[in-house]
Amino acid sequence: QVQLVESGGGSVQAGGSLRLSCTASGFTDNEYCMGWFRQAAGKEREAVATIDSDGWTTYVDSVKGRFTVSKDNANNTLWLLMSSLKAEDTAAYYCAARGGNTWCRPSALDYYPMQFWGKGTPVIISS
């Protein structure tokens, strides 16, 4: 059974940084796509960043240059380093994964959806 568990959320002031982590267990695919999503109150969930099994990363325009997604294969951990945080980054952040690394990018995930999801961690940015 695949489990994804996020941690690292919290409350910070605008301009600050946070690092989210996602620990995966039970996920054995050699080719995969993993990513971070967020959902703000009253808004639809959006993909923020993805990384595939080859290490290719893709970001949604609103976070380019501020967020960095990375993975630690040895420890089955996905990271999201968020810097220069803005009030509009306030949301619940979710880790997700699927097998296969085809079209592993935020713009394609409606057609190649994630299979497994974490329960989320809150991020609150105060201005």
Side-chain angles (χ1 to χ4, degrees):
Q1 182 179 359
V2 176
Q3 285 192 318
L4 302 174
V5 180
E6 304 95 336
S7 62
S11 180
V12 297
Q13 290 191 328
S17 299
L18 275 176
R19 188 176 70 167
L20 307 183
S21 65
C22 171
T23 302
S25 60
F27 193 71
T28 59
D29 291 47
N30 291 324
E31 293 185 347
Y32 56 83
C33 173
M34 298 189 75
W36 289 95
F37 291 70
R38 67 185 180 187
Q39 186 167 19
K43 295 188 177 181
E44 293 187 355
R45 185 177 62 196
E46 66 168 343
V48 172
T50 56
I51 185 167
D52 70 12
S53 44
D54 293 327
W56 289 100
T57 58
T58 314
Y59 301 90
V60 67
D61 285 346
S62 60
V63 306
K64 281 181 181 177
R66 301 190 298 121
F67 289 13
T68 303
V69 60
S70 60
K71 59 187 177 72
D72 179 349
N73 293 329
N75 293 299
N76 298 319
T77 301
L78 182 72
W79 304 95
L80 183 68
L81 175 61
M82 306 184 293
S83 303
S84 301
L85 285 162
K86 306 175 182 179
E88 51 263 43
D89 295 319
T90 295
Y93 283 71
Y94 299 87
C95 170
R98 62 165 164 83
N101 59 8
T102 303
W103 292 102
C104 183
R105 60 190 68 176
S107 60
L109 294 181
D110 284 346
Y111 304 98
Y112 295 89
M114 296 299 195
Q115 297 172 278
F116 309 105
W117 294 85
K119 294 183 178 181
T121 186
V123 171
I124 300 170
I125 311 304
S126 58
S127 55

PDB file of all heavy atoms in Angstrom, residues 26-66:
ATOM      1  N   GLY A  26       5.979   2.155   0.217  1.00  0.00           N
ATOM      2  CA  GLY A  26       5.197   1.225  -0.584  1.00  0.00           C
ATOM      3  C   GLY A  26       5.180   1.528  -2.069  1.00  0.00           C
ATOM      4  O   GLY A  26       4.469   0.876  -2.830  1.00  0.00           O
ATOM      5  N   PHE A  27       5.971   2.480  -2.501  1.00  0.00           N
ATOM      6  CA  PHE A  27       5.986   2.881  -3.917  1.00  0.00           C
ATOM      7  C   PHE A  27       7.226   2.308  -4.565  1.00  0.00           C
ATOM      8  O   PHE A  27       8.339   2.693  -4.215  1.00  0.00           O
ATOM      9  CB  PHE A  27       5.969   4.412  -4.011  1.00  0.00           C
ATOM     10  CG  PHE A  27       5.683   4.933  -5.387  1.00  0.00           C
ATOM     11  CD1 PHE A  27       4.414   4.803  -5.932  1.00  0.00           C
ATOM     12  CD2 PHE A  27       6.662   5.569  -6.126  1.00  0.00           C
ATOM     13  CE1 PHE A  27       4.134   5.285  -7.196  1.00  0.00           C
ATOM     14  CE2 PHE A  27       6.392   6.054  -7.394  1.00  0.00           C
ATOM     15  CZ  PHE A  27       5.126   5.925  -7.919  1.00  0.00           C
ATOM     16  N   THR A  28       7.038   1.390  -5.516  1.00  0.00           N
ATOM     17  CA  THR A  28       8.169   0.624  -6.029  1.00  0.00           C
ATOM     18  C   THR A  28       8.433   0.827  -7.527  1.00  0.00           C
ATOM     19  O   THR A  28       9.329   0.201  -8.075  1.00  0.00           O
ATOM     20  CB  THR A  28       7.945  -0.871  -5.770  1.00  0.00           C
ATOM     21  OG1 THR A  28       6.737  -1.281  -6.416  1.00  0.00           O
ATOM     22  CG2 THR A  28       7.848  -1.153  -4.279  1.00  0.00           C
ATOM     23  N   ASP A  29       7.683   1.694  -8.192  1.00  0.00           N
ATOM     24  CA  ASP A  29       7.894   1.894  -9.619  1.00  0.00           C
ATOM     25  C   ASP A  29       9.256   2.515  -9.887  1.00  0.00           C
ATOM     26  O   ASP A  29       9.643   3.488  -9.230  1.00  0.00           O
ATOM     27  CB  ASP A  29       6.822   2.817 -10.188  1.00  0.00           C
ATOM     28  CG  ASP A  29       5.470   2.165 -10.209  1.00  0.00           C
ATOM     29  OD1 ASP A  29       5.088   1.578  -9.178  1.00  0.00           O
ATOM     30  OD2 ASP A  29       4.782   2.241 -11.247  1.00  0.00           O
ATOM     31  N   ASN A  30       9.976   1.976 -10.863  1.00  0.00           N
ATOM     32  CA  ASN A  30      11.272   2.547 -11.226  1.00  0.00           C
ATOM     33  C   ASN A  30      11.105   3.827 -12.026  1.00  0.00           C
ATOM     34  O   ASN A  30      11.970   4.702 -11.980  1.00  0.00           O
ATOM     35  CB  ASN A  30      12.087   1.542 -12.029  1.00  0.00           C
ATOM     36  CG  ASN A  30      12.534   0.368 -11.183  1.00  0.00           C
ATOM     37  OD1 ASN A  30      12.844   0.535 -10.009  1.00  0.00           O
ATOM     38  ND2 ASN A  30      12.575  -0.808 -11.773  1.00  0.00           N
ATOM     39  N   GLU A  31      10.030   3.921 -12.783  1.00  0.00           N
ATOM     40  CA  GLU A  31       9.710   5.149 -13.508  1.00  0.00           C
ATOM     41  C   GLU A  31       8.477   5.757 -12.866  1.00  0.00           C
ATOM     42  O   GLU A  31       7.463   5.079 -12.686  1.00  0.00           O
ATOM     43  CB  GLU A  31       9.470   4.858 -14.990  1.00  0.00           C
ATOM     44  CG  GLU A  31      10.715   4.397 -15.720  1.00  0.00           C
ATOM     45  CD  GLU A  31      10.483   4.236 -17.207  1.00  0.00           C
ATOM     46  OE1 GLU A  31       9.310   4.246 -17.627  1.00  0.00           O
ATOM     47  OE2 GLU A  31      11.458   4.111 -17.952  1.00  0.00           O
ATOM     48  N   TYR A  32       8.569   7.023 -12.534  1.00  0.00           N
ATOM     49  CA  TYR A  32       7.470   7.638 -11.802  1.00  0.00           C
ATOM     50  C   TYR A  32       7.467   9.141 -12.005  1.00  0.00           C
ATOM     51  O   TYR A  32       8.440   9.733 -12.486  1.00  0.00           O
ATOM     52  CB  TYR A  32       7.564   7.328 -10.298  1.00  0.00           C
ATOM     53  CG  TYR A  32       8.876   7.737  -9.677  1.00  0.00           C
ATOM     54  CD1 TYR A  32       9.095   9.053  -9.263  1.00  0.00           C
ATOM     55  CD2 TYR A  32       9.904   6.814  -9.518  1.00  0.00           C
ATOM     56  CE1 TYR A  32      10.302   9.428  -8.705  1.00  0.00           C
ATOM     57  CE2 TYR A  32      11.117   7.189  -8.960  1.00  0.00           C
ATOM     58  CZ  TYR A  32      11.311   8.487  -8.553  1.00  0.00           C
ATOM     59  OH  TYR A  32      12.512   8.852  -8.012  1.00  0.00           O
ATOM     60  N   CYS A  33       6.364   9.705 -11.614  1.00  0.00           N
ATOM     61  CA  CYS A  33       6.192  11.150 -11.593  1.00  0.00           C
ATOM     62  C   CYS A  33       5.697  11.522 -10.200  1.00  0.00           C
ATOM     63  O   CYS A  33       4.746  10.908  -9.697  1.00  0.00           O
ATOM     64  CB  CYS A  33       5.180  11.575 -12.657  1.00  0.00           C
ATOM     65  SG  CYS A  33       4.713  13.310 -12.626  1.00  0.00           S
ATOM     66  N   MET A  34       6.341  12.477  -9.598  1.00  0.00           N
ATOM     67  CA  MET A  34       5.898  12.966  -8.287  1.00  0.00           C
ATOM     68  C   MET A  34       5.734  14.474  -8.360  1.00  0.00           C
ATOM     69  O   MET A  34       6.361  15.137  -9.201  1.00  0.00           O
ATOM     70  CB  MET A  34       6.897  12.605  -7.193  1.00  0.00           C
ATOM     71  CG  MET A  34       7.079  11.112  -7.005  1.00  0.00           C
ATOM     72  SD  MET A  34       8.048  10.700  -5.543  1.00  0.00           S
ATOM     73  CE  MET A  34       6.838  11.029  -4.245  1.00  0.00           C
ATOM     74  N   GLY A  35       4.912  14.987  -7.493  1.00  0.00           N
ATOM     75  CA  GLY A  35       4.696  16.422  -7.564  1.00  0.00           C
ATOM     76  C   GLY A  35       4.072  16.999  -6.319  1.00  0.00           C
ATOM     77  O   GLY A  35       3.640  16.279  -5.412  1.00  0.00           O
ATOM     78  N   TRP A  36       4.053  18.296  -6.302  1.00  0.00           N
ATOM     79  CA  TRP A  36       3.398  19.068  -5.248  1.00  0.00           C
ATOM     80  C   TRP A  36       2.233  19.833  -5.851  1.00  0.00           C
ATOM     81  O   TRP A  36       2.359  20.457  -6.916  1.00  0.00           O
ATOM     82  CB  TRP A  36       4.368  20.047  -4.602  1.00  0.00           C
ATOM     83  CG  TRP A  36       5.408  19.385  -3.759  1.00  0.00           C
ATOM     84  CD1 TRP A  36       6.676  19.034  -4.137  1.00  0.00           C
ATOM     85  CD2 TRP A  36       5.262  18.997  -2.397  1.00  0.00           C
ATOM     86  NE1 TRP A  36       7.333  18.428  -3.088  1.00  0.00           N
ATOM     87  CE2 TRP A  36       6.484  18.402  -2.001  1.00  0.00           C
ATOM     88  CE3 TRP A  36       4.244  19.076  -1.454  1.00  0.00           C
ATOM     89  CZ2 TRP A  36       6.704  17.905  -0.718  1.00  0.00           C
ATOM     90  CZ3 TRP A  36       4.446  18.588  -0.182  1.00  0.00           C
ATOM     91  CH2 TRP A  36       5.666  18.013   0.184  1.00  0.00           C
ATOM     92  N   PHE A  37       1.116  19.769  -5.137  1.00  0.00           N
ATOM     93  CA  PHE A  37      -0.091  20.493  -5.508  1.00  0.00           C
ATOM     94  C   PHE A  37      -0.464  21.397  -4.343  1.00  0.00           C
ATOM     95  O   PHE A  37      -0.013  21.204  -3.209  1.00  0.00           O
ATOM     96  CB  PHE A  37      -1.243  19.513  -5.759  1.00  0.00           C
ATOM     97  CG  PHE A  37      -1.069  18.660  -6.987  1.00  0.00           C
ATOM     98  CD1 PHE A  37      -0.103  17.671  -7.036  1.00  0.00           C
ATOM     99  CD2 PHE A  37      -1.886  18.831  -8.084  1.00  0.00           C
ATOM    100  CE1 PHE A  37       0.066  16.879  -8.167  1.00  0.00           C
ATOM    101  CE2 PHE A  37      -1.743  18.045  -9.214  1.00  0.00           C
ATOM    102  CZ  PHE A  37      -0.770  17.065  -9.253  1.00  0.00           C
ATOM    103  N   ARG A  38      -1.309  22.368  -4.618  1.00  0.00           N
ATOM    104  CA  ARG A  38      -1.836  23.190  -3.542  1.00  0.00           C
ATOM    105  C   ARG A  38      -3.267  23.560  -3.828  1.00  0.00           C
ATOM    106  O   ARG A  38      -3.701  23.611  -4.973  1.00  0.00           O
ATOM    107  CB  ARG A  38      -0.985  24.442  -3.333  1.00  0.00           C
ATOM    108  CG  ARG A  38      -1.029  25.444  -4.476  1.00  0.00           C
ATOM    109  CD  ARG A  38      -0.054  26.579  -4.201  1.00  0.00           C
ATOM    110  NE  ARG A  38      -0.052  27.569  -5.274  1.00  0.00           N
ATOM    111  CZ  ARG A  38       0.801  28.597  -5.348  1.00  0.00           C
ATOM    112  NH1 ARG A  38       1.720  28.770  -4.393  1.00  0.00           N
ATOM    113  NH2 ARG A  38       0.734  29.442  -6.352  1.00  0.00           N
ATOM    114  N   GLN A  39      -3.993  23.789  -2.738  1.00  0.00           N
ATOM    115  CA  GLN A  39      -5.369  24.236  -2.866  1.00  0.00           C
ATOM    116  C   GLN A  39      -5.635  25.311  -1.837  1.00  0.00           C
ATOM    117  O   GLN A  39      -5.567  25.059  -0.632  1.00  0.00           O
ATOM    118  CB  GLN A  39      -6.348  23.075  -2.685  1.00  0.00           C
ATOM    119  CG  GLN A  39      -7.786  23.465  -2.964  1.00  0.00           C
ATOM    120  CD  GLN A  39      -8.700  22.272  -3.093  1.00  0.00           C
ATOM    121  OE1 GLN A  39      -8.392  21.169  -2.644  1.00  0.00           O
ATOM    122  NE2 GLN A  39      -9.840  22.470  -3.733  1.00  0.00           N
ATOM    123  N   ALA A  40      -5.926  26.496  -2.320  1.00  0.00           N
ATOM    124  CA  ALA A  40      -6.283  27.607  -1.451  1.00  0.00           C
ATOM    125  C   ALA A  40      -7.779  27.570  -1.195  1.00  0.00           C
ATOM    126  O   ALA A  40      -8.551  26.982  -1.953  1.00  0.00           O
ATOM    127  CB  ALA A  40      -5.873  28.923  -2.102  1.00  0.00           C
ATOM    128  N   ALA A  41      -8.192  28.212  -0.117  1.00  0.00           N
ATOM    129  CA  ALA A  41      -9.606  28.241   0.246  1.00  0.00           C
ATOM    130  C   ALA A  41     -10.437  28.819  -0.892  1.00  0.00           C
ATOM    131  O   ALA A  41     -10.128  29.888  -1.420  1.00  0.00           O
ATOM    132  CB  ALA A  41      -9.794  29.061   1.514  1.00  0.00           C
ATOM    133  N   GLY A  42     -11.452  28.091  -1.290  1.00  0.00           N
ATOM    134  CA  GLY A  42     -12.355  28.563  -2.331  1.00  0.00           C
ATOM    135  C   GLY A  42     -11.827  28.451  -3.743  1.00  0.00           C
ATOM    136  O   GLY A  42     -12.458  28.948  -4.682  1.00  0.00           O
ATOM    137  N   LYS A  43     -10.671  27.820  -3.901  1.00  0.00           N
ATOM    138  CA  LYS A  43     -10.074  27.702  -5.231  1.00  0.00           C
ATOM    139  C   LYS A  43      -9.857  26.235  -5.590  1.00  0.00           C
ATOM    140  O   LYS A  43      -9.864  25.363  -4.736  1.00  0.00           O
ATOM    141  CB  LYS A  43      -8.749  28.460  -5.293  1.00  0.00           C
ATOM    142  CG  LYS A  43      -8.893  29.963  -5.131  1.00  0.00           C
ATOM    143  CD  LYS A  43      -7.583  30.667  -5.390  1.00  0.00           C
ATOM    144  CE  LYS A  43      -7.758  32.174  -5.301  1.00  0.00           C
ATOM    145  NZ  LYS A  43      -6.484  32.891  -5.577  1.00  0.00           N
ATOM    146  N   GLU A  44      -9.662  25.990  -6.875  1.00  0.00           N
ATOM    147  CA  GLU A  44      -9.380  24.640  -7.326  1.00  0.00           C
ATOM    148  C   GLU A  44      -7.936  24.257  -6.997  1.00  0.00           C
ATOM    149  O   GLU A  44      -7.060  25.117  -6.901  1.00  0.00           O
ATOM    150  CB  GLU A  44      -9.620  24.526  -8.835  1.00  0.00           C
ATOM    151  CG  GLU A  44     -11.071  24.672  -9.240  1.00  0.00           C
ATOM    152  CD  GLU A  44     -11.293  24.389 -10.708  1.00  0.00           C
ATOM    153  OE1 GLU A  44     -10.307  24.173 -11.441  1.00  0.00           O
ATOM    154  OE2 GLU A  44     -12.457  24.385 -11.129  1.00  0.00           O
ATOM    155  N   ARG A  45      -7.729  22.983  -6.872  1.00  0.00           N
ATOM    156  CA  ARG A  45      -6.380  22.493  -6.645  1.00  0.00           C
ATOM    157  C   ARG A  45      -5.538  22.721  -7.898  1.00  0.00           C
ATOM    158  O   ARG A  45      -6.015  22.536  -9.022  1.00  0.00           O
ATOM    159  CB  ARG A  45      -6.426  20.999  -6.321  1.00  0.00           C
ATOM    160  CG  ARG A  45      -5.092  20.383  -5.950  1.00  0.00           C
ATOM    161  CD  ARG A  45      -5.287  18.925  -5.583  1.00  0.00           C
ATOM    162  NE  ARG A  45      -5.811  18.160  -6.698  1.00  0.00           N
ATOM    163  CZ  ARG A  45      -6.355  16.958  -6.562  1.00  0.00           C
ATOM    164  NH1 ARG A  45      -6.460  16.416  -5.359  1.00  0.00           N
ATOM    165  NH2 ARG A  45      -6.793  16.312  -7.637  1.00  0.00           N
ATOM    166  N   GLU A  46      -4.297  23.132  -7.704  1.00  0.00           N
ATOM    167  CA  GLU A  46      -3.404  23.335  -8.837  1.00  0.00           C
ATOM    168  C   GLU A  46      -2.081  22.622  -8.600  1.00  0.00           C
ATOM    169  O   GLU A  46      -1.590  22.529  -7.469  1.00  0.00           O
ATOM    170  CB  GLU A  46      -3.149  24.825  -9.083  1.00  0.00           C
ATOM    171  CG  GLU A  46      -2.397  25.524  -7.984  1.00  0.00           C
ATOM    172  CD  GLU A  46      -1.897  26.911  -8.384  1.00  0.00           C
ATOM    173  OE1 GLU A  46      -1.837  27.223  -9.594  1.00  0.00           O
ATOM    174  OE2 GLU A  46      -1.548  27.685  -7.466  1.00  0.00           O
ATOM    175  N   ALA A  47      -1.516  22.137  -9.690  1.00  0.00           N
ATOM    176  CA  ALA A  47      -0.187  21.548  -9.614  1.00  0.00           C
ATOM    177  C   ALA A  47       0.842  22.669  -9.540  1.00  0.00           C
ATOM    178  O   ALA A  47       0.740  23.660 -10.260  1.00  0.00           O
ATOM    179  CB  ALA A  47       0.069  20.671 -10.828  1.00  0.00           C
ATOM    180  N   VAL A  48       1.810  22.521  -8.682  1.00  0.00           N
ATOM    181  CA  VAL A  48       2.818  23.546  -8.449  1.00  0.00           C
ATOM    182  C   VAL A  48       4.151  23.168  -9.078  1.00  0.00           C
ATOM    183  O   VAL A  48       4.794  23.985  -9.741  1.00  0.00           O
ATOM    184  CB  VAL A  48       2.989  23.782  -6.938  1.00  0.00           C
ATOM    185  CG1 VAL A  48       4.156  24.703  -6.667  1.00  0.00           C
ATOM    186  CG2 VAL A  48       1.716  24.334  -6.333  1.00  0.00           C
ATOM    187  N   ALA A  49       4.578  21.933  -8.852  1.00  0.00           N
ATOM    188  CA  ALA A  49       5.888  21.488  -9.336  1.00  0.00           C
ATOM    189  C   ALA A  49       5.882  19.979  -9.473  1.00  0.00           C
ATOM    190  O   ALA A  49       5.211  19.289  -8.701  1.00  0.00           O
ATOM    191  CB  ALA A  49       6.985  21.917  -8.371  1.00  0.00           C
ATOM    192  N   THR A  50       6.620  19.495 -10.436  1.00  0.00           N
ATOM    193  CA  THR A  50       6.752  18.054 -10.637  1.00  0.00           C
ATOM    194  C   THR A  50       8.211  17.670 -10.818  1.00  0.00           C
ATOM    195  O   THR A  50       9.047  18.501 -11.222  1.00  0.00           O
ATOM    196  CB  THR A  50       5.970  17.585 -11.880  1.00  0.00           C
ATOM    197  OG1 THR A  50       6.420  18.325 -13.026  1.00  0.00           O
ATOM    198  CG2 THR A  50       4.478  17.768 -11.704  1.00  0.00           C
ATOM    199  N   ILE A  51       8.487  16.412 -10.525  1.00  0.00           N
ATOM    200  CA  ILE A  51       9.807  15.852 -10.755  1.00  0.00           C
ATOM    201  C   ILE A  51       9.627  14.398 -11.156  1.00  0.00           C
ATOM    202  O   ILE A  51       8.801  13.693 -10.571  1.00  0.00           O
ATOM    203  CB  ILE A  51      10.706  15.988  -9.508  1.00  0.00           C
ATOM    204  CG1 ILE A  51      12.129  15.512  -9.804  1.00  0.00           C
ATOM    205  CG2 ILE A  51      10.120  15.269  -8.309  1.00  0.00           C
ATOM    206  CD1 ILE A  51      13.129  15.908  -8.708  1.00  0.00           C
ATOM    207  N   ASP A  52      10.351  13.967 -12.175  1.00  0.00           N
ATOM    208  CA  ASP A  52      10.185  12.580 -12.583  1.00  0.00           C
ATOM    209  C   ASP A  52      11.383  11.740 -12.142  1.00  0.00           C
ATOM    210  O   ASP A  52      12.322  12.241 -11.518  1.00  0.00           O
ATOM    211  CB  ASP A  52       9.921  12.473 -14.085  1.00  0.00           C
ATOM    212  CG  ASP A  52      11.130  12.803 -14.949  1.00  0.00           C
ATOM    213  OD1 ASP A  52      12.262  12.906 -14.429  1.00  0.00           O
ATOM    214  OD2 ASP A  52      10.944  12.959 -16.171  1.00  0.00           O
ATOM    215  N   SER A  53      11.322  10.462 -12.457  1.00  0.00           N
ATOM    216  CA  SER A  53      12.344   9.532 -11.991  1.00  0.00           C
ATOM    217  C   SER A  53      13.723   9.830 -12.580  1.00  0.00           C
ATOM    218  O   SER A  53      14.733   9.378 -12.043  1.00  0.00           O
ATOM    219  CB  SER A  53      11.934   8.095 -12.317  1.00  0.00           C
ATOM    220  OG  SER A  53      11.425   7.990 -13.628  1.00  0.00           O
ATOM    221  N   ASP A  54      13.755  10.588 -13.668  1.00  0.00           N
ATOM    222  CA  ASP A  54      15.040  10.994 -14.246  1.00  0.00           C
ATOM    223  C   ASP A  54      15.550  12.299 -13.655  1.00  0.00           C
ATOM    224  O   ASP A  54      16.643  12.751 -14.002  1.00  0.00           O
ATOM    225  CB  ASP A  54      14.915  11.149 -15.763  1.00  0.00           C
ATOM    226  CG  ASP A  54      14.664   9.822 -16.453  1.00  0.00           C
ATOM    227  OD1 ASP A  54      15.180   8.792 -15.970  1.00  0.00           O
ATOM    228  OD2 ASP A  54      13.937   9.817 -17.465  1.00  0.00           O
ATOM    229  N   GLY A  55      14.748  12.898 -12.800  1.00  0.00           N
ATOM    230  CA  GLY A  55      15.168  14.144 -12.154  1.00  0.00           C
ATOM    231  C   GLY A  55      14.734  15.413 -12.859  1.00  0.00           C
ATOM    232  O   GLY A  55      15.089  16.507 -12.428  1.00  0.00           O
ATOM    233  N   TRP A  56      13.973  15.275 -13.940  1.00  0.00           N
ATOM    234  CA  TRP A  56      13.492  16.470 -14.641  1.00  0.00           C
ATOM    235  C   TRP A  56      12.432  17.164 -13.796  1.00  0.00           C
ATOM    236  O   TRP A  56      11.535  16.528 -13.278  1.00  0.00           O
ATOM    237  CB  TRP A  56      12.899  16.104 -16.007  1.00  0.00           C
ATOM    238  CG  TRP A  56      13.924  15.684 -16.994  1.00  0.00           C
ATOM    239  CD1 TRP A  56      14.251  14.425 -17.359  1.00  0.00           C
ATOM    240  CD2 TRP A  56      14.781  16.553 -17.746  1.00  0.00           C
ATOM    241  NE1 TRP A  56      15.262  14.445 -18.292  1.00  0.00           N
ATOM    242  CE2 TRP A  56      15.613  15.726 -18.549  1.00  0.00           C
ATOM    243  CE3 TRP A  56      14.942  17.944 -17.809  1.00  0.00           C
ATOM    244  CZ2 TRP A  56      16.568  16.255 -19.413  1.00  0.00           C
ATOM    245  CZ3 TRP A  56      15.895  18.459 -18.675  1.00  0.00           C
ATOM    246  CH2 TRP A  56      16.692  17.619 -19.465  1.00  0.00           C
ATOM    247  N   THR A  57      12.542  18.465 -13.699  1.00  0.00           N
ATOM    248  CA  THR A  57      11.608  19.245 -12.899  1.00  0.00           C
ATOM    249  C   THR A  57      10.843  20.233 -13.770  1.00  0.00           C
ATOM    250  O   THR A  57      11.373  20.738 -14.772  1.00  0.00           O
ATOM    251  CB  THR A  57      12.336  20.014 -11.792  1.00  0.00           C
ATOM    252  OG1 THR A  57      13.321  20.880 -12.378  1.00  0.00           O
ATOM    253  CG2 THR A  57      13.028  19.059 -10.832  1.00  0.00           C
ATOM    254  N   THR A  58       9.626  20.504 -13.381  1.00  0.00           N
ATOM    255  CA  THR A  58       8.795  21.487 -14.077  1.00  0.00           C
ATOM    256  C   THR A  58       7.992  22.257 -13.044  1.00  0.00           C
ATOM    257  O   THR A  58       7.575  21.677 -12.037  1.00  0.00           O
ATOM    258  CB  THR A  58       7.829  20.798 -15.064  1.00  0.00           C
ATOM    259  OG1 THR A  58       8.535  19.824 -15.827  1.00  0.00           O
ATOM    260  CG2 THR A  58       7.213  21.802 -16.014  1.00  0.00           C
ATOM    261  N   TYR A  59       7.782  23.552 -13.300  1.00  0.00           N
ATOM    262  CA  TYR A  59       7.086  24.414 -12.348  1.00  0.00           C
ATOM    263  C   TYR A  59       5.971  25.201 -13.042  1.00  0.00           C
ATOM    264  O   TYR A  59       6.077  25.551 -14.217  1.00  0.00           O
ATOM    265  CB  TYR A  59       8.067  25.402 -11.715  1.00  0.00           C
ATOM    266  CG  TYR A  59       9.211  24.746 -10.992  1.00  0.00           C
ATOM    267  CD1 TYR A  59      10.396  24.439 -11.658  1.00  0.00           C
ATOM    268  CD2 TYR A  59       9.110  24.423  -9.642  1.00  0.00           C
ATOM    269  CE1 TYR A  59      11.450  23.824 -10.994  1.00  0.00           C
ATOM    270  CE2 TYR A  59      10.155  23.816  -8.968  1.00  0.00           C
ATOM    271  CZ  TYR A  59      11.321  23.518  -9.654  1.00  0.00           C
ATOM    272  OH  TYR A  59      12.361  22.910  -8.992  1.00  0.00           O
ATOM    273  N   VAL A  60       4.965  25.499 -12.285  1.00  0.00           N
ATOM    274  CA  VAL A  60       3.950  26.414 -12.775  1.00  0.00           C
ATOM    275  C   VAL A  60       4.549  27.824 -12.737  1.00  0.00           C
ATOM    276  O   VAL A  60       5.430  28.129 -11.909  1.00  0.00           O
ATOM    277  CB  VAL A  60       2.665  26.305 -11.913  1.00  0.00           C
ATOM    278  CG1 VAL A  60       2.894  26.804 -10.515  1.00  0.00           C
ATOM    279  CG2 VAL A  60       1.503  26.979 -12.579  1.00  0.00           C
ATOM    280  N   ASP A  61       4.118  28.684 -13.642  1.00  0.00           N
ATOM    281  CA  ASP A  61       4.753  29.995 -13.795  1.00  0.00           C
ATOM    282  C   ASP A  61       4.779  30.804 -12.504  1.00  0.00           C
ATOM    283  O   ASP A  61       5.754  31.524 -12.228  1.00  0.00           O
ATOM    284  CB  ASP A  61       4.038  30.803 -14.887  1.00  0.00           C
ATOM    285  CG  ASP A  61       4.371  30.311 -16.287  1.00  0.00           C
ATOM    286  OD1 ASP A  61       5.340  29.548 -16.442  1.00  0.00           O
ATOM    287  OD2 ASP A  61       3.659  30.711 -17.229  1.00  0.00           O
ATOM    288  N   SER A  62       3.744  30.692 -11.697  1.00  0.00           N
ATOM    289  CA  SER A  62       3.635  31.539 -10.509  1.00  0.00           C
ATOM    290  C   SER A  62       4.694  31.233  -9.443  1.00  0.00           C
ATOM    291  O   SER A  62       4.886  32.033  -8.529  1.00  0.00           O
ATOM    292  CB  SER A  62       2.233  31.416  -9.904  1.00  0.00           C
ATOM    293  OG  SER A  62       1.979  30.077  -9.536  1.00  0.00           O
ATOM    294  N   VAL A  63       5.368  30.103  -9.550  1.00  0.00           N
ATOM    295  CA  VAL A  63       6.373  29.765  -8.535  1.00  0.00           C
ATOM    296  C   VAL A  63       7.779  29.634  -9.111  1.00  0.00           C
ATOM    297  O   VAL A  63       8.731  29.400  -8.362  1.00  0.00           O
ATOM    298  CB  VAL A  63       6.006  28.467  -7.784  1.00  0.00           C
ATOM    299  CG1 VAL A  63       4.598  28.560  -7.212  1.00  0.00           C
ATOM    300  CG2 VAL A  63       6.172  27.238  -8.668  1.00  0.00           C
ATOM    301  N   LYS A  64       7.925  29.785 -10.413  1.00  0.00           N
ATOM    302  CA  LYS A  64       9.255  29.662 -11.026  1.00  0.00           C
ATOM    303  C   LYS A  64      10.218  30.664 -10.410  1.00  0.00           C
ATOM    304  O   LYS A  64       9.888  31.833 -10.224  1.00  0.00           O
ATOM    305  CB  LYS A  64       9.157  29.894 -12.530  1.00  0.00           C
ATOM    306  CG  LYS A  64       8.648  28.701 -13.303  1.00  0.00           C
ATOM    307  CD  LYS A  64       8.600  28.996 -14.803  1.00  0.00           C
ATOM    308  CE  LYS A  64       8.066  27.800 -15.569  1.00  0.00           C
ATOM    309  NZ  LYS A  64       7.948  28.087 -17.019  1.00  0.00           N
ATOM    310  N   GLY A  65      11.403  30.182 -10.087  1.00  0.00           N
ATOM    311  CA  GLY A  65      12.418  31.035  -9.496  1.00  0.00           C
ATOM    312  C   GLY A  65      12.295  31.177  -7.988  1.00  0.00           C
ATOM    313  O   GLY A  65      13.188  31.720  -7.340  1.00  0.00           O
ATOM    314  N   ARG A  66      11.168  30.700  -7.428  1.00  0.00           N
ATOM    315  CA  ARG A  66      10.969  30.807  -5.980  1.00  0.00           C
ATOM    316  C   ARG A  66      10.899  29.434  -5.305  1.00  0.00           C
ATOM    317  O   ARG A  66      11.308  29.287  -4.162  1.00  0.00           O
ATOM    318  CB  ARG A  66       9.678  31.569  -5.672  1.00  0.00           C
ATOM    319  CG  ARG A  66       9.646  32.978  -6.230  1.00  0.00           C
ATOM    320  CD  ARG A  66       8.440  33.767  -5.694  1.00  0.00           C
ATOM    321  NE  ARG A  66       7.171  33.162  -6.073  1.00  0.00           N
ATOM    322  CZ  ARG A  66       6.263  32.755  -5.196  1.00  0.00           C
ATOM    323  NH1 ARG A  66       6.479  32.850  -3.896  1.00  0.00           N
ATOM    324  NH2 ARG A  66       5.106  32.229  -5.622  1.00  0.00           N
TER     325      ARG A  66
END
